[in-house]
Amino acid sequence: MSSPFAARACLAGAMCIVGSSVAVGKTVALSMPLHLALGLRFLVACALALPLLRLLEGGLPRLRARDWGLLFLQTFCGVFLFNVLLLLGLLRTDAASAGVLTGTTPAWIALLALLFLKERPGPRGALGILLALAGTMSIAALNAGSGGESSLAGDLLVLGAVIGEAVFLLLRKALPASLSALAASTAVSCIGLAQFLGPAAWQAAHFDFAALGPGQWLLLLYYGGAVSVLAYVLWFYGVARVPAATAGVYSGLMPVSALFFSWAFLDEPLGWGHVLGCICVLGGIALLSAPARRRSATGGLRAEC
């Protein structure tokens, strides 16, 4: 499993799983209260990740209080806010649009890095940002033109989730490089469970679990196990074995995967606006992930999603 082909296969698999989470998340959000769904998701993730981390690495590493504080802030932005805003958005817009909008994460990372870290993207990077934002606007125009006021509100919620994820990815630069992917994923899952525990417990007390069928329980297991654990491990296996710029290109599979699963499993219509938005986002990601030293750091950040 150490060949370049295996590494690229892991990267592709990870992004296909992440893309499928948009359709799965919408299905789960329609079947149970939002905080309960997310609490159960991270309960499943912790139940799988903690024993795996114990077996492979001996448990969670010792970190400074500052590092735990950064992990808590990261989790709040990239787990709590991201998932709450994303699922609220999915209740108001179609999963295909949400999938394309989440593909603009590299552009938001570049913009935030420019504003707060003074990292200039250069001409190629600036064009990539403009293309990704053009994809965002095409989706917003599509929904606004259809008279879907709630769809436009849903798009804004999804964009808020994407910005939260971008902050999460930028904050990761402040954590120790020695923190492994599995350890970081496990810590984030545990902190995420703690953040959702209160509202999830309250909603669980008023929820009829007998109303859930076997298919919905399987989706929850997939949501917690595959999306929260497997995709993360696959991605970090691959990203450690290929150049960051190469890994960044594979993140472009995420919006494509989201569009496919929304069309195939939610039977949502796929319009030319979605296709145009996806092409713009893919073009932007390709430019942002181009093999250049100045852009490789941003590509690596997106790869950690």
Side-chain angles (χ1 to χ4, degrees):
M1 282 290 290
S2 60
S3 69
F5 174 80
R8 286 164 171 77
C10 286
L11 294 174
M15 284 298 99
C16 288
I17 293 172
V18 172
S20 73
S21 71
V22 176
V24 172
K26 181 165 187 173
T27 304
V28 171
L30 291 173
S31 64
M32 66 177 63
L34 185 147
H35 288 91
L36 176 59
L38 291 170
L40 289 174
R41 169 188 172 177
F42 287 101
L43 180 63
V44 171
C46 290
L48 294 173
L50 281 170
L52 186 62
L53 181 67
R54 178 71 178 177
L55 175 66
L56 298 179
E57 300 182 15
L60 286 170
R62 291 187 177 182
L63 297 172
R64 297 174 298 172
R66 172 185 175 275
D67 296 330
W68 282 112
L70 284 173
L71 280 169
F72 184 89
L73 182 59
Q74 271 193 300
T75 305
F76 181 75
C77 292
V79 173
F80 189 87
L81 284 181
F82 172 77
N83 284 285
V84 169
L85 292 177
L86 178 62
L87 292 187
L88 284 175
L90 284 169
L91 294 175
R92 293 165 174 82
T93 191
D94 58 280
S97 297
V100 174
L101 292 173
T102 55
T104 65
T105 304
W108 290 106
I109 291 174
L111 284 174
L112 290 174
L114 174 63
L115 291 174
F116 297 105
L117 302 179
K118 308 302 180 185
E119 293 183 1
R120 299 185 180 277
R124 187 193 299 261
L127 180 58
I129 292 171
L130 290 175
L131 271 176
L133 294 181
T136 301
M137 289 186 289
S138 73
I139 294 300
L142 174 72
N143 286 330
S146 65
E149 181 179 343
S150 63
S151 295
L152 185 58
D155 292 341
L156 293 175
L157 286 168
V158 173
L159 278 178
V162 169
I163 294 172
E165 182 189 20
V167 173
F168 170 84
L169 295 171
L170 283 175
L171 282 175
R172 198 187 192 290
K173 296 179 73 173
L175 287 170
S178 58
L179 186 66
S180 72
L182 180 58
S185 176
T186 304
V188 165
S189 295
C190 292
I191 297 172
L193 176 60
Q195 291 178 352
F196 284 113
L197 189 58
W202 186 86
Q203 290 181 343
H206 302 83
F207 182 71
D208 180 18
F209 285 93
L212 295 178
Q216 291 163 317
W217 284 110
L218 286 175
L219 281 179
L220 268 175
L221 289 174
Y222 177 84
Y223 203 27
V227 177
S228 300
V229 179
L230 179 59
Y232 203 86
V233 172
L234 284 175
W235 186 263
F236 274 88
Y237 175 89
V239 81
R241 290 163 174 79
V242 301
T246 302
V249 173
Y250 280 88
S251 67
L253 288 173
M254 193 272 288
V256 177
S257 172
L259 283 173
F260 170 77
F261 281 101
S262 300
W263 167 75
F265 295 100
L266 297 182
D267 198 28
E268 292 189 351
L270 192 63
W272 283 108
H274 296 118
V275 176
L276 176 62
C278 190
I279 291 172
C280 289
V281 170
L282 286 174
I285 290 173
L287 287 171
L288 287 165
S289 305
R293 291 183 178 274
R294 295 181 63 182
R295 292 306 325 151
S296 63
T298 302
L301 278 171
R302 181 64 186 93
E304 294 166 8
C305 170

